[in-house]
Every structure is written in C-alpha cells, then in structure tokens.
Amino acid sequence: MVPEGLTLTSHFDSNRASHGDSPAYRFLDYSHDHDGRAVVLSWNELWTRVCAIGARLRQVTQPGDRVAILAPQGLEYVAAFFGGVYAGNIPVPLFAPTLSGHTERLAAVLSDARPAAVLTTTAAAESVRTCIRTLVPNERPRLIAVDALPDTLGSTFTGAAIDTDDVAYLQYTSGSTRTPAGVEITHRSVYTNAMQMVVTGGLDVDVRTVSWLPLYHDMGLMMVMFTAFFGAHVTLMDPMAFLRRPYRWIKQLGIEATYGRTFAAAPNFAFDLTADRGLPPAGEALDLSNVVCLLNGSEPVTMSAIKKFTAAFAPFGLPANAVKPSYGMAEATLSVASIAQDATASSIFLDREQLGVGRAVTVAPDATGAVELVSCGQPIPDQWVVIVDPDGAEVPDGTVGEIWLHGVNIARGYFGREEETRRVFGNKLQSRLDKGSHAEGAPDNGCWLATGDLGVHLDGELYLTGRIKDLIILDGSNHYPTDIETTVSEASPAIRTGYVAAFSVPADAVDSPSSTGEQVVVIAERAAGAGRTDPEQVAETVRAAVSRGHHVRIADLRLVAAGAIPRTTSGKLARSACRAEYLAGEFNR
C-alpha cells in the first residue's frame, strides 16, 4: 500500500537530511571528453535547483498546468522534471528539437499537451524557441532556461499542495501504432511500480544503476525515480554516447557494481549491439559479478540477443541469469511482468500454423514452422494479467488473446481523451475461468486495461505474440509481422537484422496484385557493405524463404538505405508509419 500523501518529492527532505552533499544524480558528459566528464548533483544542490525552478514556475503558471521539458539529456533535465512536480504542475517529458526525424511527433505532443511553460537550457533555448514558433504557432508557452535561474530565487519557495492520486506527469506513448497519447501517471501508480520492480528484482532500495536511456522514455524516467524515492544513486549518460561506444555503459556498470548489487535496463537491440561492440579493451579490468538484474524490454525480446550478450560478458563475471526478459508499457507506468530473481531467460517453440489460429502448441526447435517465443515470466506483485477473447471473456491457458491488466500501477487514463480512456482503461471482465483464473484476487467489478497486445499463458509463463493492430490477416489466418520479419532478416546477409518492417495493404496499393484482398509488403534496410548486391537476387531469396516458412506471398519487397524505416523515439519499429509512407509513395523515390 502506498502511504496517503506520498508524492514524487515526499522523500526529498529525508534524503537531503541523510545524504546532504552526497551524489544524487551523476551525468557523464562525453561531448568534449573521451572518458566522460562527471557532472554531479548532490541532494542539497538538487534541492536548491528544484526550489529555484519551482519558484519561477509558480510565478508564471497555475497548479495543474502542463510544463513541457524540451532539454538535452542531463542533470538540468532531472531538476526541471522535479521542479515542475514540486510546483504542482504536470511535467511532460519530451526531447530537444535536435532529435532528428521526430519533428512530427513533437508537434503532435505539443499541440495535445498545450503546455503553459517550456523548460529547457540556455544552450538549447534558441532552437526550442524556433521549434515552438514553427510547430505550434498559435501557442505561447513561457520559455524558461532552467540553468539560468539564480539559486536565490528558491529561498522562500514552498511547494504546492499535492495529493497521492494527482497526476504526477504525462508520459506520451511512443506512437508505434497511432498518434501519441498522454498517459496520466499518478504519484500512487509510479511509486507502486517502482516498489514492484525493486521486489521483483530482489534489489535493495539503495540499488545503484547506470542508464543511457532517454529521459523522455518511460523506462529512462523510471531509472530516475528510484533515486527520488529511495535515496539511491544513478549514473546517467546520453543515448548517443552509448550508441557510439557501448562499452561506456558496461564499464560504468562494473564501476557501480563494486559498491553492491547493481541494476539497469535496456531494449533488446542494446544487448545485441553491446555484445558486438561493447567488450573491454585488452587488459582492462572488468568485474560484472554484482550486476544482478538487466531488464530487457521495450521491444520484442530475442533469445539470440540474450545468449550473445551473456556469452560475451560471462568471462567478466556476468551472472548467467542477469538478463531478465520483461514486458511493460506506459499505460502501466512501466513494468508489467518479468522473470523471477533466480530464473534464467528461456524460450519455447510453437507451431506456426496453430499459432495462426490462436492456439499455442509446443514443438521441437527444429520442427518445420517452429516459432520461438521468449518468456516474459510472471506478473509483478499485485499486478493481474489475463488473456481474453474479443468479447472480454478470460480464455484458458494455451489460447492466444488480448492481454488485459489490473493493478494500482495502472495509469489514470489519457489526457483529454475521455472516450479513448473509457475504451482502453475501463473494461470489465465478462467472465473468469472456473479453475486457474489469472484474475483470482482482483475485484469482481474492477476495471481492466486493454493493452492491444496479443499474448498467451503457458505453463505458468507469459508470452507475447504481437500487436493486434499489426496483425496480418490473410484468408482468415493470422500472421505475426515479427515472425515474418525474422525470416526476412535471416534469409539474406544483405539485410540488416532487426531493420525490417512487414505489413499488409489493399490489393490496389501494389503493382500487379496476384489476387484481391490484403497483400503483404516488406520494407528491408540494406546491411553495411551490401550496396552492390543484386536486389533482384535478394528479393528472390527472401520471397522463397517467406513462402516456404509462412505460406505467404510477398507482393512487394523494397530494399532501402539504412535509416529509411521510421522508428519511434524509443527505437521501436513504427510499422504503421512505414505503411503510411509506403502508401504515400515515399519508398518509390
């Protein structure tokens, strides 16, 4: 139970009293220093900055106003976020306009949130001002450079009255299948989810972590929450610093692990990338034996990435069960399910044809048409996960259906979208299983979150099979795009692994359709060094592999340059955006 009156800033006084000048947040700046210049914000310094920002916001906004954060990754971002909370505003974590390829998303979010103020930094202020004038010309939010505010401004500041069930911040969805929506995260739900993650991971509340995840992403923001609630210590870095040299993340994990059990999180691609490019230089000491929990989530998890990462860092003491496949979403604050503390990542193989009609039938790994799915483990404590049919009735284990959630960590709804909130968050379970119901213990008339994700319970484990909106339906059979994309990636070395989008379009949208009805289109990025590969030969190989493995004909296959496939700000494939670009002729150029 969350104590009444608790908010994101409730523990600041006690943390400041206990830790004072000790580090609260540390940022490693690699922009001008190859080894990373450490910038530290102590608890006392954080409090001073929060009060100054809060005082300025109280001058120009009203409690409950949205306050957008358009700032680079760094300690100013952290202070801006908590300053907004303490002032009684609702922070909207976003990104500086320098993040390429996401202008449309930024415009959509700013138009939806209608912030009364925008928090940024002196260095980014001009680009932010230009961005706002261009994207939302009819809005006039107050622009505040938080690093330019004098510390003395907060000397007489007192925080606004905040309730545990008030909205703490708006977490905008990644927009992988639709226009981004602002998820209303309450103080109660975020504290609950933080505690759920600590308990699930078997962590101490003073757990240390190292995060390069964007602070505008739900997983990146949660890394900051642990420090606020428990007085822990987090080391942050810019996502680009990680992408350029993945070893920076691993090295810092090793350093933090010398102080005790260490925790971190990353999407699946990061484990693959780090195994390839993140090994320590020859002769450099690295001890990862205390890195006990590395959550792998945010996108489809693959056993190949987990095995590759674990094998690469086992010589440096990484526990075999450190990587924890997980399932989460913004509407649940973050975490929904993960494997147990002592469990090792595992997978099963299902019959593709049976999966296509909604049944999970296990087969041998080498069976024809075997589809590998990674276990997401079990729901976190006090989180209920049921699988339902289209009518909202719970289905037996082994049957594929939509995943519904119930728990205190679930968000309040979508900002300004009453109808969508009712449709997504206000569902009633029409019936439960007589035996083995996964709703056991949940209130009979409680509301359930319809996730839009498809999954199945099997032998006590939760498996994700795909997104309802992404599902490709041909002649009454279901085909999962991730399954087809995996086949395409493996069919030819000329294709970048993980950079393939499969979707369906109407027959009249492709040249010379073979039949009426939906047709399958595949957009695939070329691998490095594949520029001279004959595209017709690649297409022939891919078509044959998909036809053989899925009994599906690819109506159109486009090989495109690296970076051409749209992705969300969290790095997920944006299939709906890719489909829209295809229909608009963007890939004809």
Side-chain angles (χ1 to χ4, degrees):
M1 293 291 292
V2 177
E4 293 300 324
L6 186 143
T7 71
L8 292 185
T9 57
S10 290
H11 294 309
F12 272 39
D13 281 343
S14 60
N15 286 335
R16 192 160 51 97
S18 300
H19 306 295
D21 292 326
S22 298
Y25 297 94
R26 184 170 68 124
F27 181 72
L28 297 179
D29 184 1
Y30 293 93
S31 58
H32 303 292
D33 189 325
H34 183 269
D35 295 321
R37 181 176 67 90
V39 184
V40 176
L41 201 60
S42 71
W43 278 102
N44 285 333
E45 290 168 333
L46 173 63
W47 182 247
T48 299
R49 300 306 305 146
V50 165
C51 287
I53 296 166
R56 181 60 176 143
L57 286 172
R58 291 295 293 271
Q59 293 173 349
V60 299
T61 68
Q62 297 296 318
D65 283 349
R66 275 78 57 205
V67 174
I69 306 174
L70 273 67
Q73 188 101 340
L75 300 184
E76 293 87 357
Y77 198 113
V78 175
F81 177 82
F82 288 117
V85 172
Y86 203 60
N89 298 131
I90 301 175
V92 184
L94 294 172
F95 44 87
T98 51
L99 184 66
S100 62
H102 296 287
T103 302
E104 185 177 338
R105 169 184 161 80
L106 195 57
V109 172
L110 289 173
S111 296
D112 187 72
R114 303 186 306 278
V118 172
L119 302 181
T120 187
T121 61
T122 303
E126 188 55 42
S127 64
V128 170
R129 184 177 290 107
T130 301
C131 168
I132 293 172
R133 287 174 178 170
T134 303
L135 298 183
V136 282
N138 296 325
E139 300 291 334
R140 291 289 183 271
R142 187 66 62 97
L143 189 66
I144 301 172
V146 296
D147 55 334
L149 297 174
D151 291 345
T152 54
L153 185 61
S155 58
T156 60
F157 171 69
T158 55
I162 308 171
D163 186 75
T164 305
D165 289 311
D166 286 345
V167 176
Y169 57 94
L170 291 186
Q171 180 66 62
Y172 273 82
T173 59
S174 62
S176 58
T177 58
R178 62 184 172 92
T179 304
V183 182
E184 295 181 323
I185 305 295
T186 66
H187 295 270
R188 187 184 302 276
S189 59
V190 67
Y191 185 83
T192 297
N193 208 223
M195 286 301 300
Q196 289 168 322
M197 293 176 68
V198 166
V199 171
T200 300
L203 305 171
D204 299 322
V205 292
D206 59 352
V207 61
R208 287 174 175 247
T209 188
V210 180
S211 179
W212 53 266
L213 298 167
L215 293 174
Y216 55 79
H217 185 257
D218 51 6
M219 191 182 284
L221 199 57
M222 182 58 85
M223 299 302 103
V224 170
M225 300 302 178
F226 289 112
T227 295
F229 288 136
F230 312 129
H233 177 193
V234 61
T235 296
L236 304 171
M237 63 179 69
D238 191 276
M240 289 307 299
F242 162 76
L243 292 173
R244 291 189 181 106
R245 291 194 64 202
Y247 178 57
R248 289 166 170 164
W249 180 47
I250 295 297
K251 178 180 179 179
Q252 291 303 316
L253 280 172
I255 291 172
E256 293 302 317
T258 62
Y259 298 97
R261 293 158 65 82
T262 302
F263 157 82
N268 188 74
F269 85 86
F271 292 92
D272 209 327
L273 177 68
T274 306
D276 284 335
R277 295 173 42 202
L279 290 172
E284 184 162 329
L286 176 66
D287 183 0
L288 301 177
S289 57
N290 262 340
V291 179
V292 297
C293 183
L294 294 173
L295 295 182
N296 181 343
S298 178
E299 62 184 9
V301 179
T302 64
M303 279 303 295
S304 59
I306 294 174
K307 289 179 178 178
K308 189 173 170 183
F309 181 89
T310 303
F313 293 100
F316 305 98
L318 182 74
N321 63 349
V323 182
K324 306 293 185 184
S326 305
Y327 169 49
M329 61 191 314
E331 287 84 348
T333 302
L334 175 61
S335 182
V336 171
S338 187
I339 65 173
Q341 300 173 26
D342 57 352
T344 301
S346 64
S347 64
I348 58 173
F349 291 83
L350 301 180
D351 180 89
R352 178 174 286 124
E353 290 189 5
Q354 291 294 315
L355 191 59
V357 294
R359 291 190 293 267
V361 178
T362 56
V363 295
D366 57 354
T368 302
V371 178
E372 187 176 25
L373 294 180
V374 178
S375 169
C376 291
Q378 297 78 35
I380 55 180
D382 296 321
Q383 169 78 87
W384 287 267
V385 179
V386 298
I387 310 296
V388 303
D389 65 17
D391 295 323
E394 186 178 12
V395 298
D397 288 11
T399 303
V400 177
E402 185 176 11
I403 299 173
W404 281 15
L405 309 175
H406 176 83
V408 180
N409 58 296
I410 304 300
R412 193 169 80 175
Y414 294 123
F415 170 70
R417 304 189 185 195
E418 293 184 10
E419 178 56 36
E420 190 173 358
T421 294
R422 283 193 294 270
R423 179 167 50 81
V424 176
F425 290 85
N427 297 280
K428 301 292 184 177
L429 197 58
Q430 298 304 307
S431 64
R432 307 184 183 200
L433 298 175
D434 292 333
K435 294 183 178 180
S437 173
H438 294 275
E440 186 68 34
D444 290 337
N445 202 37
C447 288
W448 294 76
L449 166 70
T451 66
D453 290 323
L454 291 167
V456 60
H457 283 299
L458 199 62
D459 298 328
E461 308 276 323
L462 174 67
Y463 298 88
L464 266 67
T465 60
R467 289 282 297 171
I468 292 175
K469 291 183 179 180
D470 287 336
L471 201 62
I472 297 172
I473 304 175
L474 303 174
D475 300 324
S477 294
N478 297 334
H479 299 271
Y480 296 91
T482 52
D483 192 18
I484 294 175
E485 290 157 4
T486 298
T487 298
V488 172
S489 292
E490 294 173 349
S492 171
I495 293 174
R496 292 181 78 192
T497 300
Y499 290 84
V500 179
F503 49 86
S504 62
V505 298
D508 59 6
V510 299
D511 294 331
S512 304
S514 62
S515 62
T516 59
E518 292 291 294
Q519 304 285 300
V520 176
V521 172
V522 170
I523 310 296
E525 294 185 8
R526 298 184 191 89
R532 296 184 179 180
T533 305
D534 181 5
E536 290 302 322
Q537 184 177 350
V538 174
E540 183 179 341
T541 301
V542 168
R543 283 192 164 96
V546 172
S547 176
R548 183 171 58 251
H550 303 267
H551 307 294
V552 167
R553 176 187 176 275
I554 296 178
D556 195 4
L557 172 67
R558 302 290 177 91
L559 284 176
V560 297
I565 295 178
R567 300 179 83 87
T568 70
T569 52
S570 60
K572 299 177 186 176
L573 278 174
R575 292 190 190 90
S576 59
C578 190
R579 181 179 185 274
E581 290 188 8
Y582 174 85
L583 293 174
E586 295 293 327
F587 297 109
N588 296 336
R589 301 172 183 176

